[in-house]
């Protein structure tokens, strides 16, 4: 089995104590990708039923430092699932219009509709991460957001959405290697921005902001999962397993057909 790391609601989290290279179970890259393929086959079938059932939805929230692998995870975990039942949204710096509303406005509009699996590449958590680290709004304002997030997520869950919040946990050294790889490979350079280096200097502040976000918003209705992510194949395996386990637990059902369809022949 491969499992993400979970924390009891209300408990403290020391991210420095969680090894980003940790592996649960006897996995290597090849066996991981074989398992991911098996998982996808089952998830595809369950996602089909979720779509047919049209009652509930799943929202996977991906957060992590630059280069933690949000894009790669989406590519691997959703490949093979009917695109029509997936909604992928990446959150960038808010537009003027978005900024002119409360921080959850753009988020709520983007949640998956019933029957769908949604993935957030960054999320409302940026509003207590980058915003906190850079003091983009006064402290008195971001301080209240943890509570607002918990209330918002409760609203979603009561509306029959299952939230799967993943923190892709990488080490500072791994980030250095991945940023350097982006610089060294002309085909990857587009992903690099000089601002990434400025953000990297704030590594400790970000880790602290992540710690507080995970601690404050790790609720029973919407728990956080910490994914050891220094090895890409293991990160992909854990998230693919999480999606499959979530769908299995939901056990979506194909709805009953209209009555009286037996024996009808289409002419
Ligand atoms: P990327 O994910 O590399 O495309 O970068 C998106 C950028 O948008 C990151 O630097 C985020 O920190 C930033 N971003 C996302 N949401 C917010 C937000 N609510 N406020 C400020 N910056 C944000
Ligand atoms: Mg970036």
């Amino acid at each position: 089995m491969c499992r993400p790391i979970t924390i009891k609601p209300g408990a403290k989290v020391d991210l420095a104590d969680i090894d980003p290279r940790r592996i649960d179970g006897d996995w290597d890259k090849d066996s991981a990708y074989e398992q991911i393929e098996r998982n996808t086959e089952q998830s595809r079938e369950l996602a089909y039923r979720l779509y047919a059932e049209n009652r509930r939805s799943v929202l996977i929230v991906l957060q992590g430092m630059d280069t933690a692998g949000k894009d790669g995870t989406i590519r691997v975990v959703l490949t093979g699932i009917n695109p029509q039942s997936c909604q992928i949204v990446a959150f960038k710096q808010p537009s003027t219009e978005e900024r002119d509303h409360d921080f959850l406005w753009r988020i709520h509009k983007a949640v998956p509709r019933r029957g769908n699996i949604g993935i957030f590449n960054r999320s409302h958590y940026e509003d207590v991460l980058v915003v906190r680290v850079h003091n983009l709004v006064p402290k008195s304002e971001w301080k209240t957001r943890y509570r607002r997030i918990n209330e918002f997520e409760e609203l979603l869950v009561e509306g029959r959405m299952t939230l799967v919040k993943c923190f892709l946990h990488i080490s500072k050294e791994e980030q250095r290697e991945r940023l350097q790889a982006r610089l060294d490979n002309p085909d990857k350079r587009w992903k690099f921005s000089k601002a990434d280096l400025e953000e990297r200097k704030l590594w400790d502040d970000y880790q602290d902001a992540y710690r507080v976000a995970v601690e404050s918003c790790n609720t029973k209705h919407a728990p956080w999962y910490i994914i050891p992510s220094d090895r890409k194949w293991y990160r992909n395996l854990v998230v693919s397993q999480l999606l499959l386990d979530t769908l299995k637990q939901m056990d979506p059902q194909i709805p009953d057909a209209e009555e009286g369809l037996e024996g009808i022949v289409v002419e």
Side-chain angles (χ1 to χ4, degrees):
M1 275 311 286
C2 60
R3 290 213 180 79
I5 294 153
T6 51
I7 303 125
K8 270 208 203 98
K12 298 258 172 250
V13 188
D14 194 348
L15 292 176
D17 270 355
I18 300 175
D19 182 2
R21 302 187 77 79
R22 171 171 152 167
I23 289 177
D24 280 315
D26 189 16
W27 298 101
D28 61 17
K29 190 172 174 178
D30 289 343
S31 60
Y33 278 106
E34 281 165 22
Q35 185 63 40
I36 289 171
E37 233 173 82
R38 285 193 293 270
N39 288 350
T40 301
E41 227 166 88
Q42 292 185 63
S43 289
R44 176 196 300 139
E45 173 62 26
L46 288 161
Y48 174 76
R49 288 200 225 160
L50 185 78
Y51 187 75
E53 184 193 71
N54 198 28
R55 274 190 76 242
R56 295 172 287 171
S57 55
V58 176
L59 172 59
I60 301 174
V61 171
L62 296 181
Q63 284 290 163
M65 301 292 287
D66 285 329
T67 76
K70 299 180 283 292
D71 303 84
T73 304
I74 295 172
R75 189 172 59 244
V76 172
V77 172
L78 289 192
T79 295
I81 296 185
N82 182 356
Q84 183 154 248
S85 67
C86 299
Q87 282 175 256
I88 303 161
V89 185
F91 290 97
K92 311 280 181 190
Q93 290 191 13
S95 67
T96 313
E97 190 190 20
E98 288 168 345
R99 240 184 273 274
D100 282 342
H101 292 80
D102 74 85
F103 79 104
L104 291 169
W105 182 73
R106 66 173 183 161
I107 308 291
H108 204 165
K109 283 203 300 190
V111 300
R113 59 197 308 157
R114 298 194 204 295
N116 276 15
I117 297 171
I119 293 210
F120 280 180
N121 180 340
R122 303 186 190 268
S123 65
H124 42 302
Y125 282 95
E126 292 295 321
D127 293 284
V128 290
L129 293 165
V130 64
V131 169
R132 173 182 165 128
V133 168
H134 289 280
N135 267 306
L136 300 180
V137 302
K139 181 173 180 183
S140 58
E141 200 172 317
W142 59 251
K143 236 177 38 187
T144 64
R145 290 184 173 175
Y146 301 98
R147 179 172 55 80
R148 299 246 179 263
I149 288 175
N150 287 340
E151 289 168 356
F152 170 64
E153 291 181 350
E154 192 171 7
L155 170 91
L156 298 179
V157 170
E158 283 183 5
R160 298 197 297 269
M161 188 179 298
T162 301
L163 265 70
V164 183
K165 302 188 293 187
C166 299
F167 171 53
L168 307 182
H169 180 45
I170 56 165
S171 63
K172 196 173 178 188
E173 172 57 20
E174 182 69 22
Q175 190 196 52
R176 190 192 63 73
E177 284 175 25
R178 292 185 189 180
L179 284 174
Q180 191 65 52
R182 285 182 181 181
L183 279 167
D184 293 347
N185 181 345
D187 284 344
K188 282 193 181 170
R189 235 168 254 163
W190 66 272
K191 279 194 176 194
F192 185 88
S193 141
K194 284 185 193 147
D196 295 345
L197 297 179
E198 295 308 309
E199 294 302 281
R200 179 171 163 78
K201 287 185 190 151
L202 300 168
W203 178 274
D204 290 343
D205 293 348
Y206 270 105
Q207 293 293 305
D208 207 43
Y210 267 108
R211 177 185 61 76
V212 178
V214 171
E215 275 178 9
S216 309
C217 302
N218 182 39
T219 53
K220 198 161 168 279
H221 56 270
W224 269 103
Y225 297 97
I226 298 178
I227 318 290
S229 297
D230 268 10
R231 291 187 179 86
K232 295 175 182 174
W233 55 265
Y234 187 70
R235 170 202 77 204
N236 293 337
L237 174 64
V238 176
V239 179
S240 104
Q241 191 67 49
L242 246 178
L243 173 62
L244 175 58
D245 291 346
T246 302
L247 289 167
K248 274 188 182 164
Q249 173 92 34
M250 293 171 80
D251 190 22
Q253 302 293 320
I254 305 264
D256 290 336
E258 231 179 275
E259 279 189 37
L261 298 186
E262 305 78 22
I264 295 185
V265 178
V266 180
E267 292 176 17

